[in-house]
Amino acid sequence: MSKIKITLTALLSVFLLETCTRVPITGRRQTNLLPETELMAMALTNYNQVLSESKIISTGANATSVKNAGERISSAVTKYMNSHGYSKRIANYQWQFNLIDDPTVNAWCMPGGKVAFYTGILPICADENGVAVVMGHEIAHAIARHGNERMSQGLLLEMGGVALDVATMTKPDQTRQLFQLAYGVGANLGVMLPFSRKHESEADRMGLIFMAMAGYDPHEAPKFWERMSALGGSRPPQILSTHPDPEKRVEAMNKNMAEAMKYYKPAGS
Ligand SMILES: [Zn+2]
């Protein structure tokens, strides 16, 4: 093989490694991801801005639930990722879990492990187990890089596929807006912004496993979604209107339950 050919092959394999990866747990192939380091930098700026504009609740039972669930799930996930060849995916993650005083039914996790819960979702969570359901689901979105896929799509649709750093430089406001939409950030959305059905079912499946790894019984997850669905009434939260069949969601979770239970280690055992 000529030297040039070897170099080309090496370059190509680096390129493929960079552009095509697989989602942990599900093994789904991902292409055209944006540089995660750039998204993490954006996340840090956006996260700090959200925190500075919000009323943070840092003491009391609710804040403790959010921090507990966050710390238990993130350390279980970190351990799993490091021992299954995915350490790169969480490199430079610096987890943070904050509870924001806001009636919006929302929660999200930005790349880098920046998590926010809004008090509006807590009544549906009911207790720390319910918080763990949402926490597992949101962390799953981040680990699976769903926001990255959405941001990449957004740049393609709205800015003709320009590189992220160029978009940030030339159209900072629009880029920031895209970012916030991609990660479901913001109280003004009124409801938890839904990801696509494909992303939702992937996050549901991974979320069950993540909470189980941390010692939370994954059977709490279908219960949470049933409560969310019951909350509907005459004006169901948007998350339900865009996922018109919450029963199917619960059904899928019950199907994935046996897989999740393989990871379940009850706390203290
Ligand atoms: Zn979701």
Side-chain angles (χ1 to χ4, degrees):
M1 215 190 269
S2 73
K3 203 175 176 186
I4 291 175
K5 206 167 171 191
I6 293 169
T7 314
L8 275 178
T9 313
L11 271 177
L12 191 66
S13 56
V14 167
F15 180 71
L16 286 177
L17 275 179
E18 290 293 313
T19 53
C20 178
T21 56
R22 284 179 186 276
V23 176
I25 309 264
T26 69
R28 181 172 64 85
R29 201 183 279 270
Q30 289 180 304
T31 48
N32 300 323
L33 290 177
L34 298 167
E36 192 73 3
T37 44
E38 284 176 35
L39 287 171
M40 275 166 65
M42 279 187 90
L44 195 62
T45 313
N46 274 278
Y47 192 65
N48 288 335
Q49 184 161 356
V50 170
L51 294 186
S52 71
E53 288 164 357
S54 312
K55 190 179 162 218
I56 310 297
I57 300 177
S58 50
T59 54
N62 289 334
T64 307
S65 288
V66 169
K67 285 208 174 15
N68 275 351
E71 270 154 29
R72 277 172 61 180
I73 294 175
S74 63
S75 48
V77 167
T78 303
K79 216 165 127 189
Y80 175 85
M81 301 286 279
N82 286 338
S83 57
H84 287 76
Y86 290 113
S87 52
K88 260 195 177 166
R89 211 171 249 258
I90 47 160
N92 304 317
Y93 262 54
Q94 288 186 322
W95 298 95
Q96 260 181 278
F97 311 96
N98 278 291
L99 176 61
I100 292 173
D101 190 5
D102 187 297
T104 312
V105 180
N106 201 9
W108 40 260
C109 176
M110 287 181 187
K114 306 299 185 198
V115 176
F117 264 63
Y118 294 67
T119 47
I121 202 167
L122 294 179
I124 311 165
C125 293
D127 57 19
E128 191 176 312
N129 292 310
V131 170
V133 173
V134 178
M135 187 69 76
H137 179 93
E138 296 307 327
I139 287 180
H141 276 308
I143 294 291
R145 297 187 171 168
H146 291 159
N148 190 322
E149 287 180 353
R150 299 215 296 178
M151 185 76 192
S152 161
Q153 234 173 6
L155 282 179
L156 191 66
L157 290 175
E158 300 204 10
M159 296 194 210
V162 64
L164 181 57
D165 51 353
V166 176
T168 308
M169 228 159 16
T170 52
K171 293 182 178 168
D173 291 344
Q174 201 184 344
T175 310
R176 182 165 180 259
Q177 211 178 3
L178 268 182
F179 178 87
Q180 298 202 338
L181 275 173
Y183 289 95
V185 177
N188 54 344
L189 299 168
V191 284
M192 202 196 269
L193 187 79
F195 285 74
S196 74
R197 200 171 289 226
K198 178 181 78 178
H199 284 164
E200 282 305 318
S201 30
E202 191 167 67
D204 279 348
R205 179 176 161 199
M206 292 169 74
L208 281 185
I209 292 174
F210 288 172
M211 72 183 290
M213 282 173 180
Y216 293 103
D217 188 346
H219 290 93
E220 296 293 332
K223 291 187 203 161
F224 168 85
W225 287 103
E226 271 157 9
R227 287 196 296 272
M228 178 74 105
S229 158
L231 179 90
S234 57
R235 282 193 58 208
Q238 196 186 328
I239 189 168
L240 293 179
S241 61
T242 50
H243 293 84
D245 213 339
E247 281 154 29
K248 278 218 172 111
R249 182 169 210 166
V250 167
E251 208 181 286
M253 278 184 181
N254 287 330
K255 263 190 206 144
N256 289 328
M257 201 54 76
E259 181 193 24
M261 286 306 282
K262 288 185 198 151
Y263 296 84
Y264 181 46
K265 280 197 203 101
S269 74

